[in-house]
C-alpha cells in the first residue's frame, strides 16, 4: 500500500507489482495496515475531500469510514497507528495523541 503524488492510495501485488486497486485521496501523512483495513491520514479524504483519517477495506479499497479533523487549516501531522481496536493520530490542531475507537480500560493494562 502506498500513496502517490497524483493523490491516490494504491494496493500493489508483492509478486509482480501489479495494481490490485486504487482509491482517490491524499495519503501524504501516512498509512497504517491492519488485518482487514488500512487507515490513511492526509490532507484530502477520498469522499469528503477534507483533511483527516479514513479506513479502507484492505482487499478492495472501499471506504469504510472517514473522520475529518476539526479546526481551521487542521491536518494530520503523523501517520496513524492501529492498536488495541483503536486508531491513534496527532494533528496540528491537537495538543497530544488522539484516539478513535474502543481503547482498553485501565483494568486491561
Amino acid at each position: 500500500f502506498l500513496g502517490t503524488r497524483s493523490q491516490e492510495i494504491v494496493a500493489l501485488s508483492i509478486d509482480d507489482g501489479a495494481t490490485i486497486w486504487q482509491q482517490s485521496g491524499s495519503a501524504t501523512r501516512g498509512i497504517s495496515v491492519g488485518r482487514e483495513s488500512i487507515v490513511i491520514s492526509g490532507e484530502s479524504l477520498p469522499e469528503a475531500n477534507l483533511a483527516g483519517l479514513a479506513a479502507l477495506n484492505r482487499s478492495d479499497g472501499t471506504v469504510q469510514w472517514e473522520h475529518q479533523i476539526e479546526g481551521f487549516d487542521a491536518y494530520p501531522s503523523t501517520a496513524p497507528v492501529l492498536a488495541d481496536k483503536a486508531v491513534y493520530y496527532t494533528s496540528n490542531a491537537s495538543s497530544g495523541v488522539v484516539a478513535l475507537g474502543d481503547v482498553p480500560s485501565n483494568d486491561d493494562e
Side-chain angles (χ1 to χ4, degrees), residues 1-3 9 21 23 25-42 44-46 52-59 61-67 69 76 78-83 85-90 98-101:
F1 303 98
L2 56 94
I9 298 91
W21 57 259
Q23 174 65 264
S26 166
T28 57
R29 301 294 175 185
I31 299 172
S32 184
V33 180
R35 291 185 179 157
E36 298 176 11
S37 303
I38 67 167
V39 177
I40 61 169
S41 61
S44 177
L45 298 173
L53 291 94
L56 307 177
N57 182 295
R58 186 175 162 154
S59 63
T62 56
V63 177
Q64 296 173 319
W65 56 261
E66 291 185 335
H67 175 77
I69 297 176
T78 60
V81 174
L82 291 166
K85 300 181 184 179
V87 176
Y88 300 86
Y89 72 95
T90 60
V98 179
L100 299 173

Side-chain angles (χ1 to χ4, degrees), residues 89-107:
Y89 72 95
T90 60
S91 74
N92 68 334
S94 66
S95 58
V97 176
V98 179
L100 299 173
D102 295 328
V103 296
S105 69
N106 288 337
D107 297 336

